[in-house]
Amino acid sequence: MDYSQFIAELGQIETITNPSQVAKLSEDYFKFSPVLTQQLTGKVGDLVVRPNNEAEVLQIARACVKHRIPITVRGSGTGNYGQAVPLQGGVILDTSKMQKIHWLKPGLAFVEPGLKLGNLDKQARQIGWESRMVPSTVRTATVGGFIAGGSGGIGSILYGQLRDRGNLKAVRVVTLEDEPRVIELRGDRVQKVNHAYGVNGIITALEIPLAPAYAWAECIVAFTDFMAAAHFGQALATSDGMIKKLVSVHADPIPTFFIPLREYIPPQAHIALVLVAESDLESFKVLVAEHGGDLCYEKDAQAASKGTSLVEFSWNHTTLHARSVDPALTYLQSGFPADPDLKLVQHMHEHFGDEVIMHLEFVRSAGEVVPGAIQIVRFTDCDRLDQIIKYHEENGVFIANPHTYILEDGGMKQVNREQLEFKQMVDPYGLMNPGKMRAWFEQSGK
Amino acid sequence: MDYSQFIAELGQIETITNPSQVAKLSEDYFKFSPVLTQQLTGKVGDLVVRPNNEAEVLQIARACVKHRIPITVRGSGTGNYGQAVPLQGGVILDTSKMQKIHWLKPGLAFVEPGLKLGNLDKQARQIGWESRMVPSTVRTATVGGFIAGGSGGIGSILYGQLRDRGNLKAVRVVTLEDEPRVIELRGDRVQKVNHAYGVNGIITALEIPLAPAYAWAECIVAFTDFMAAAHFGQALATSDGMIKKLVSVHADPIPTFFIPLREYIPPQAHIALVLVAESDLESFKVLVAEHGGDLCYEKDAQAASKGTSLVEFSWNHTTLHARSVDPALTYLQSGFPADPDLKLVQHMHEHFGDEVIMHLEFVRSAGEVVPGAIQIVRFTDCDRLDQIIKYHEENGVFIANPHTYILEDGGMKQVNREQLEFKQMVDPYGLMNPGKMRAWFEQSGK
């Protein structure tokens, strides 16, 4: 297809057509998955557009509708499920120039989608606040990308998941109708586009809640036994009198993948990575002692704000470090049921041994503390990966499969009628991130 | 006994001997209980002392030991279990002149025991913080009294109970040894004197954690059905994406006891009293609508900071308002098991009807949301009260009996060896609040 007319219609809006740049901006971190690598490698857009504001997004939307060009929205491309990969070419809308903070006040911020979470936090901390939750990619990930493709992260032990009512206050989206328009969604209506991979509206602004910014100390606690580390994590996660932002537990040999931390961690250790309020550090150390842990790394908030944060060894950064050491490693995403004894965690840990290495992230879900898990998997082939997933599911572990780019096949498991109906309204030509929403493409063929 | 020598030894320390003043300072709110009223009415101390600081407390301790005079410590007397009532006369140590804030910083405060919680919060809010939890008597209750006799309150839905590790950082206590001294307890050692009714050391300073001070909006939501109100409370309490400080649910006719609120509340309503972060108010209203609630009262944080707070209709202020209308009413304190369906709450509500009127306070306990209850009871006689308690216990409801002044017979249920051993060390003559600790008086006769 010839894009010259399309580009001319965009006027002053920045476009990128250089193939190597376009190819780079067509990727995200799907390489974490050997399955997705096979399916998505080589999928590229035709050109990239970089609007400065909502008015330019409207202009792009109009041109795309007119020429029936598919459009895939992209933040920083730190997602892992290929949600930013254009399956049918077309335009990549890169939000990186839309970084404005419209306003910021105690408890709330209204921002553009391309704002980096780390920059939001820097500004918010000036008035004593920060994001309620962030991914481990906080330094580069965007607010819009996190909402469109994330589910929770560091802070979820205090505030639950992004899907929980209250964790997204409002969004503005541009439609792909014959005459594109801006729709503001507030209250539960935000769920129409929350975690929808950008298939049904281009997010142009978000109102998000903020959390009080504690001074976070960073600690590593080492154990000689994995279940001791896991029980420590459970105890900390359920200690209501200690404020923590991260409780991340890693079975040996995961700590050996953390090269920059190797000097601090004893050999063959199972560890917990913790962010705890500095004012609760003394109480925290009592818990560490009670569980027989070895506090092998400790930085107060001041020290932790410099250099590398433990945040960048948790959640999916764990997988990143593992794959840096051994690119054959991949991962799973799981939700274990709430259980003070962690019986099912123990069973899976013992059952799979070194093939599925346990990595727990404790989070709050519907008012309860539950162990999420982002296990490191020694990949052999797709059949074995399916077997592993099946065994977990049959034993009551919820798997949010990260080896699919289909919206419904990941964590959702079923058609989200609300999101589908919204797509039917705002994207009648099926131009938005085509091929990602099963409910849509099984109906329309695209 | 002739106290002239004792008084002389106190030098400049304020003493009160006027019998009516002493009688007044010998009471707390034990009148909430018809059982305690019978047992404690007329129990008075011999004189009251009002030290200015720890040095004067040491001086009083020396004189008490020398003359073997019992000593009962008192804050503002807002407790309900007779913990401040001197059973064997002697000295009442009134901490009301020890109100100093030694220091205050983000997340922590170090204060004298006689400081009123309301005054601490006023100061702490200047730097963006407040108490993690307060009783409904926050305006008059002291920090020392709350720790020595309280268990939780407004804020417990976020931070759990006072007994939870982290919610009391350190205490300094003066002993009643032959040579009284000051002991500082930190870490888990604070549990030696936490909720010990002052039987084993005179608390002279406390280091307590603070919570970020949200702007709290105050709301009343009315329902036509009690279980609808209860389920709403459960849903709000387990909504991790909405920050709330109070979720207090009251069955009809309790709201009719709230005279100052009568104009706002529809007739025959079951209500929820809520403190929710102003920044989450919009999300909160979506939940109200979803549950079919009627938001009949709403004040933003600014408006709520003036006039009467809903705090003063929750927790044991509920009982206070009920008894103002009908002095024959009394109460229970219960812990129901965590249960999304609230089956046991419903059973008790239906089983007892108007005899035990349901009042729920949702709190966090060991990482879980549980419905506590402070039911209003139509008292007939002690046997029937015992039957009611027994029925609850047999059906799995934990009762923290408020109709006893014995430490172990309330919420504790068993001998606290740690507290007993500490008493054996610091109070060898059994002078501290004698008759309150079963483990001690069964052994020593006093």
Side-chain angles (χ1 to χ4, degrees):
Chain A
M1 169 171 173
D2 177 10
Y3 278 91
S4 55
Q5 178 58 30
F6 175 81
I7 290 172
E9 285 170 23
L10 295 187
Q12 298 304 307
I13 298 171
E14 182 185 351
T15 55
I16 298 171
T17 52
N18 173 302
S20 76
Q21 270 185 280
V22 173
K24 214 177 146 195
L25 291 168
S26 298
E27 286 188 343
D28 62 15
Y29 276 79
F30 66 77
K31 296 243 159 91
F32 276 23
S33 161
V35 182
L36 293 179
T37 300
Q38 208 177 356
Q39 293 170 337
L40 299 179
T41 301
K43 302 278 182 195
V44 293
D46 296 313
L47 82 167
V48 177
V49 297
R50 281 196 174 139
N52 279 294
N53 50 47
E54 190 177 84
E56 291 190 355
V57 172
L58 271 166
Q59 202 178 334
I60 293 164
R62 256 181 238 113
C64 283
V65 171
K66 182 176 163 191
H67 298 280
R68 303 289 193 269
I69 299 172
I71 181 165
T72 301
V73 182
R74 160 189 188 84
S76 297
T78 55
N80 306 303
Y81 326 122
Q83 62 261 56
V85 175
L87 297 181
Q88 301 174 17
V91 165
I92 291 161
L93 189 153
D94 176 339
T95 59
S96 61
K97 286 164 91 175
M98 294 176 69
Q99 301 204 9
K100 207 186 272 175
I101 297 177
H102 292 299
W103 51 254
L104 184 62
K105 58 184 181 185
L108 288 173
F110 186 51
V111 306
E112 286 190 331
L115 178 67
K116 289 183 168 51
L117 284 157
N119 288 341
L120 169 61
D121 281 358
K122 243 177 244 169
Q123 292 302 312
R125 284 194 192 111
Q126 306 274 332
I127 60 158
W129 296 80
E130 64 182 14
S131 298
R132 279 190 179 172
M133 63 197 78
V134 294
S136 63
T137 48
V138 52
R139 283 201 293 167
T140 49
T142 65
V143 177
F146 189 39
I147 293 296
S151 59
I154 298 102
S156 285
I157 185 59
L158 287 174
Y159 304 104
Q161 319 294 309
L162 282 176
R163 67 170 170 269
D164 291 331
R165 185 183 281 142
N167 285 333
L168 173 61
K169 299 303 188 188
V171 283
R172 285 170 68 88
V173 292
V174 163
T175 69
L176 273 278
E177 296 164 289
D178 282 318
E179 189 47 57
R181 57 181 166 143
V182 179
I183 297 179
E184 178 168 309
L185 304 170
R186 304 199 68 88
D188 281 358
R189 298 178 71 222
V190 299
Q191 305 305 345
K192 294 178 192 297
V193 300
N194 195 358
H195 197 85
Y197 288 2
V199 300
N200 58 5
I202 304 166
I203 296 175
T204 53
L206 307 97
E207 186 180 324
I208 54 169
L210 300 173
Y214 281 88
W216 298 111
E218 302 198 352
C219 298
I220 303 177
V221 189
F223 296 85
T224 53
D225 173 64
F226 170 71
M227 284 311 296
H231 287 302
F232 168 77
Q234 168 78 14
L236 176 60
T238 55
S239 286
D240 299 313
M242 283 181 251
I243 311 302
K244 56 273 161 187
K245 192 176 176 180
L246 176 72
V247 184
S248 180
V249 173
H250 304 261
D252 179 60
I254 294 176
T256 66
F257 305 144
F258 299 160
I259 312 291
L261 300 176
R262 270 187 179 169
E263 60 179 301
Y264 304 103
I265 302 173
Q268 280 96 50
H270 311 267
I271 65 168
L273 307 178
V274 173
L275 263 67
V276 61
E278 212 173 86
S279 46
D280 286 322
L281 203 45
E282 183 180 352
S283 314
F284 169 75
K285 288 178 186 176
V286 176
L287 186 74
V288 170
E290 186 177 76
H291 283 258
D294 167 17
L295 183 60
C296 59
Y297 177 99
E298 178 190 346
K299 278 190 176 178
D300 64 18
Q302 177 85 26
S305 69
K306 294 165 198 148
T308 306
S309 166
L310 294 187
V311 160
E312 295 190 346
F313 297 88
S314 71
W315 289 81
N316 248 329
H317 260 72
T318 305
T319 316
L320 183 75
H321 290 285
R323 288 176 41 80
S324 298
V325 171
D326 180 356
L329 296 173
T330 186
Y331 71 127
L332 274 186
Q333 298 179 148
S334 323
F336 281 81
D339 169 19
D341 297 327
L342 302 173
K343 287 284 179 220
L344 202 48
V345 168
Q346 180 164 10
H347 172 76
M348 292 299 167
H349 172 68
E350 290 167 357
H351 179 79
F352 285 106
D354 200 47
E355 186 183 13
V356 181
I357 312 168
M358 199 56 92
H359 160 202
L360 302 175
E361 293 289 347
F362 286 91
V363 298
R364 216 171 253 159
S365 175
E368 271 190 323
V369 170
V370 296
I374 312 179
Q375 304 93 326
I376 298 293
V377 177
R378 295 197 190 274
F379 183 73
T380 43
D381 58 39
C382 292
D383 283 348
R384 178 59 188 158
L385 185 61
D386 286 342
Q387 277 172 16
I388 293 171
I389 290 174
K390 206 171 160 210
Y391 186 84
H392 279 80
E393 290 177 338
E394 283 172 356
N395 282 275
V397 181
F398 174 85
I399 297 285
N401 188 2
H403 302 286
T404 172
Y405 58 79
I406 307 292
L407 194 51
E408 293 93 330
D409 297 354
M412 202 189 290
K413 306 296 183 201
Q414 54 189 352
V415 172
N416 184 324
R417 292 221 65 79
E418 200 183 359
Q419 292 186 349
L420 176 62
E421 282 163 17
F422 194 64
K423 184 173 174 75
Q424 285 162 342
M425 178 173 88
V426 304
D427 186 24
Y429 304 109
L431 300 174
M432 298 217 63
N433 209 353
K436 300 289 173 63
M437 187 187 232
R438 179 180 295 286
W440 177 270
F441 68 67
E442 285 190 347
Q443 190 178 77
S444 68
K446 57 185 173 180
Chain B
M1 171 171 174
D2 177 9
Y3 278 91
S4 55
Q5 180 57 31
F6 175 82
I7 290 171
E9 284 169 24
L10 296 188
Q12 298 304 307
I13 297 170
E14 183 186 350
T15 56
I16 297 169
T17 52
N18 172 302
S20 75
Q21 271 186 280
V22 173
K24 214 177 146 194
L25 292 168
S26 298
E27 287 188 343
D28 62 16
Y29 275 79
F30 66 77
K31 295 243 159 90
F32 275 21
S33 161
V35 182
L36 294 179
T37 299
Q38 209 178 356
Q39 292 169 338
L40 298 178
T41 301
K43 301 278 181 194
V44 293
D46 296 315
L47 81 168
V48 177
V49 296
R50 283 196 173 137
N52 279 294
N53 50 49
E54 190 178 83
E56 291 189 358
V57 172
L58 271 166
Q59 202 177 332
I60 293 163
R62 257 182 236 113
C64 282
V65 171
K66 181 175 164 192
H67 298 280
R68 303 289 192 269
I69 298 171
I71 182 165
T72 301
V73 182
R74 159 190 189 84
S76 297
T78 55
N80 306 303
Y81 326 122
Q83 62 263 56
V85 175
L87 297 181
Q88 301 172 18
V91 165
I92 292 161
L93 189 153
D94 176 339
T95 59
S96 61
K97 286 164 89 176
M98 294 176 69
Q99 301 204 10
K100 207 186 272 175
I101 298 177
H102 292 298
W103 51 254
L104 183 63
K105 58 185 180 184
L108 288 173
F110 186 50
V111 306
E112 286 190 331
L115 177 67
K116 289 183 168 51
L117 285 157
N119 288 340
L120 169 60
D121 280 357
K122 242 177 246 170
Q123 292 302 310
R125 284 194 191 112
Q126 306 274 332
I127 60 159
W129 297 79
E130 64 182 14
S131 299
R132 280 189 179 173
M133 63 197 77
V134 293
S136 63
T137 49
V138 53
R139 283 200 293 165
T140 49
T142 65
V143 177
F146 188 40
I147 294 296
S151 58
I154 298 101
S156 285
I157 185 61
L158 287 174
Y159 304 104
Q161 319 293 310
L162 282 176
R163 66 172 170 268
D164 291 331
R165 184 183 282 141
N167 284 333
L168 173 62
K169 300 301 188 188
V171 283
R172 285 171 68 90
V173 291
V174 163
T175 70
L176 273 278
E177 296 164 291
D178 282 318
E179 189 47 56
R181 58 181 166 141
V182 179
I183 297 178
E184 178 167 309
L185 305 170
R186 303 199 68 87
D188 281 358
R189 297 179 70 222
V190 300
Q191 304 305 347
K192 295 178 191 297
V193 300
N194 194 358
H195 197 85
Y197 289 2
V199 300
N200 58 5
I202 304 166
I203 296 174
T204 53
L206 307 98
E207 187 181 323
I208 54 169
L210 299 173
Y214 281 88
W216 298 111
E218 303 198 351
C219 298
I220 304 177
V221 188
F223 295 86
T224 52
D225 172 65
F226 170 71
M227 285 310 296
H231 287 303
F232 169 77
Q234 169 78 14
L236 176 60
T238 55
S239 286
D240 299 313
M242 284 181 249
I243 310 302
K244 57 273 161 187
K245 192 176 176 180
L246 176 71
V247 184
S248 181
V249 173
H250 304 262
D252 178 60
I254 294 176
T256 66
F257 304 145
F258 298 161
I259 311 292
L261 300 176
R262 270 187 178 170
E263 59 180 302
Y264 304 103
I265 303 174
Q268 280 98 50
H270 311 268
I271 63 169
L273 306 177
V274 173
L275 263 66
V276 62
E278 213 172 83
S279 46
D280 286 323
L281 203 45
E282 183 181 352
S283 314
F284 169 75
K285 289 179 185 176
V286 176
L287 186 73
V288 170
E290 186 178 76
H291 283 258
D294 166 15
L295 183 59
C296 59
Y297 177 101
E298 177 189 348
K299 277 189 176 180
D300 65 19
Q302 176 85 25
S305 69
K306 294 165 197 147
T308 307
S309 166
L310 294 186
V311 161
E312 295 191 347
F313 296 88
S314 72
W315 289 80
N316 248 329
H317 259 71
T318 306
T319 316
L320 182 76
H321 289 285
R323 287 177 42 79
S324 297
V325 171
D326 179 356
L329 295 175
T330 186
Y331 71 126
L332 274 186
Q333 297 179 147
S334 323
F336 281 81
D339 170 19
D341 297 326
L342 302 174
K343 287 283 179 219
L344 202 48
V345 167
Q346 180 165 10
H347 173 75
M348 291 300 169
H349 172 68
E350 289 168 357
H351 180 79
F352 285 107
D354 199 48
E355 186 182 14
V356 181
I357 312 168
M358 199 57 92
H359 161 203
L360 302 175
E361 293 288 348
F362 286 90
V363 299
R364 217 172 252 157
S365 176
E368 271 189 323
V369 170
V370 295
I374 312 180
Q375 305 92 325
I376 298 294
V377 177
R378 296 196 190 273
F379 183 73
T380 42
D381 59 39
C382 292
D383 284 349
R384 178 59 188 158
L385 186 60
D386 286 344
Q387 278 173 15
I388 293 170
I389 291 174
K390 207 172 159 210
Y391 186 83
H392 278 82
E393 289 177 340
E394 284 173 354
N395 283 276
V397 181
F398 175 84
I399 298 286
N401 187 2
H403 302 285
T404 173
Y405 57 80
I406 307 291
L407 195 50
E408 293 94 330
D409 298 355
M412 201 188 290
K413 308 292 183 201
Q414 55 190 352
V415 172
N416 183 322
R417 292 222 65 80
E418 200 182 0
Q419 291 186 349
L420 176 63
E421 282 164 17
F422 194 64
K423 183 172 175 75
Q424 285 161 343
M425 177 174 91
V426 304
D427 185 24
Y429 303 110
L431 299 174
M432 297 216 64
N433 209 354
K436 300 289 172 64
M437 186 186 233
R438 179 179 295 284
W440 177 271
F441 68 68
E442 284 189 347
Q443 187 180 78
S444 68
K446 59 185 171 180

